[in-house]
């Protein structure tokens, strides 16, 4: 979702082959489980296809993937009964984040960038992504000079996205004029929130805008272009953990999990 002034929502040339969110493309045969050395047969688990090429939509988690049993992982006991499954373990998140950092380094290493972190859900992904970029800069002749700025978006009530979008901390982004901007967001759903944010950021005339999204959710009639850097493409389920919340709960989960109906009712407002 690279954006130049006057060319909003135009994908960068290096990612022109990215699949549409409304009609995601499947990658070839190797399964996510095989790549991570889990001894699970394909006919017993849903296939999770890995798209490893840069410019792809990330690792695609299929709609019929049930996730991992909670019994295989440690998680806070106070969420017992509130979760259905672990859809992405913390270690896999970290490995994928490191790969995204390498892709960003390859593309932007000769640029000074302003990282625009979208709170609250994006804070953990942004912190880990910036740390991985810093590690690469410290151990390479390629470096990226970064500044980090925080804004907050809120558009959810319980598990539903609303039309009422609040942007906090973005009233004056005039310092972005002429700068290279990397927006870091935890999850892109319908794309309405990201579209609104991009329009707002563009009004301050940055030189370049790129978007890194940890998760892209497959939803009907998605109105957004695929972010430039995508961690995982996931089914249309409400997920929590790794700083993603449900009414401010579950941010203390390390893994990304699917919330249960019991959990929704328990923490509903």
């Amino acid at each position: 979702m690279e954006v130049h002034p006057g060319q909003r929502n135009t994908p960068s040339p290096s990612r022109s082959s990215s699949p549409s969110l409304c009609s995601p493309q499947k990658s070839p045969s190797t399964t996510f489980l095989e790549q991570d050395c889990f001894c699970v047969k394909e006919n017993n688990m849903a296939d999770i296809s890995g798209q490893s090429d840069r410019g792809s939509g990330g690792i695609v988690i299929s709609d019929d993937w049930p996730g991992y049993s909670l019994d295989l992982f440690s998680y806070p006991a106070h969420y017992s009964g509130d979760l259905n499954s672990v859809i992405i373990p913390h270690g896999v998140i970290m490995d994928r984040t490191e790969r995204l950092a390498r892709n960003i380094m390859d593309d932007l290493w000769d640029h000074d960038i302003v990282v625009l972190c979208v709170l609250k859900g994006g804070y953990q992904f942004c912190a880990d992504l910036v740390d991985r970029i810093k590690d690469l800069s410290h151990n390479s002749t390629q470096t990226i000079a970064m500044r980090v700025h925080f804004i907050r978006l809120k558009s959810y009530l319980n598990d539903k996205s609303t039309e009422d979008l609040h942007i906090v901390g973005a009233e004056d982004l005039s310092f972005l004029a002429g700068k290279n901007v990397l927006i870091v967001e935890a999850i892109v759903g319908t794309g309405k929130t990201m579209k609104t944010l991009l329009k707002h950021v563009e009004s301050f005339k940055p030189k370049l805008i790129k978007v890194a999204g940890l998760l892209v959710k497959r939803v009907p009639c998605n109105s957004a272009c695929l972010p430039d850097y995508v961690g995982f493409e996931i089914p249309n389920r409400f997920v929590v953990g790794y700083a993603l919340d449900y009414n401010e709960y579950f941010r203390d989960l390390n893994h990304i999990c699917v919330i249960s109906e019991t959990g929704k009712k328990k923490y509903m407002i």
Side-chain angles (χ1 to χ4, degrees), residues 148-198:
V148 182
H149 185 78
F150 300 91
I151 62 172
R152 183 182 176 187
L153 304 182
K154 185 172 177 61
S155 63
Y156 271 84
L157 179 64
N158 296 318
D159 61 343
K160 304 296 182 184
S161 181
T162 69
E163 297 295 327
D164 190 15
L165 174 66
H166 299 280
I167 304 178
V168 181
E171 294 83 0
D172 183 12
L173 297 177
S174 56
F175 63 91
L176 296 180
K179 299 294 193 302
N180 301 294
V181 179
L182 176 66
I183 298 174
V184 179
E185 171 67 292
I187 188 166
V188 177
T190 63
K192 294 178 182 178
T193 299
M194 182 56 64
K195 187 175 181 180
T196 300
L197 177 59
L198 280 170

Side-chain angles (χ1 to χ4, degrees), residues 37-38 50 62 74 104 108 114 117 127 169 184 204 208-209 226 231 237:
C37 300
F38 285 91
S62 63
S74 297
I104 292 169
L108 302 176
V114 177
C117 175
V184 179
F204 296 97
L208 175 71
I209 304 173
L226 202 65
R237 303 175 196 168

Side-chain angles (χ1 to χ4, degrees), residues 28-175:
S29 56
T30 304
T31 69
F32 178 49
L33 299 177
E34 291 173 331
Q35 293 171 356
D36 284 83
C37 300
F38 285 91
C39 298
V40 180
K41 295 181 180 180
E42 285 187 60
N43 59 0
N44 290 330
M45 279 290 187
D47 180 42
I48 302 183
S49 302
Q51 293 182 331
S52 59
D53 294 338
R54 293 177 57 227
S56 75
I59 296 176
V60 178
I61 300 178
S62 63
D63 290 338
D64 55 356
W65 165 238
Y68 297 103
S69 170
L70 292 164
D71 294 336
L72 298 173
F73 300 92
S74 297
Y75 66 96
H78 51 264
Y79 292 137
S80 178
D82 300 333
L83 304 167
N84 281 337
S85 63
V86 174
I87 192 169
I88 310 175
H90 181 258
V92 178
I93 298 170
M94 297 305 294
D95 284 352
R96 183 62 183 153
T97 299
E98 181 176 354
R99 178 63 189 189
L100 294 180
R102 290 181 181 274
N103 291 347
I104 292 169
M105 177 68 79
D106 288 343
D107 290 347
L108 302 176
W109 68 271
D110 57 344
H111 294 74
D112 291 351
I113 64 173
V114 177
V115 177
L116 204 58
C117 175
V118 180
L119 300 174
K120 294 182 182 178
Y123 80 82
Q124 190 65 65
F125 174 49
C126 183
D128 289 335
L129 182 65
V130 168
D131 280 347
R132 299 291 84 73
I133 294 173
K134 283 164 46 180
D135 290 344
L136 292 171
S137 294
H138 293 164
N139 296 284
S140 171
T141 57
Q142 297 179 338
T143 62
I144 296 180
M146 293 181 292
R147 289 189 291 163
V148 182
H149 185 78
F150 300 91
I151 62 172
R152 183 182 176 187
L153 304 182
K154 185 172 177 61
S155 63
Y156 271 84
L157 179 64
N158 296 318
D159 61 343
K160 304 296 182 184
S161 181
T162 69
E163 297 295 327
D164 190 15
L165 174 66
H166 299 280
I167 304 178
V168 181
E171 294 83 0
D172 183 12
L173 297 177
S174 56
F175 63 91

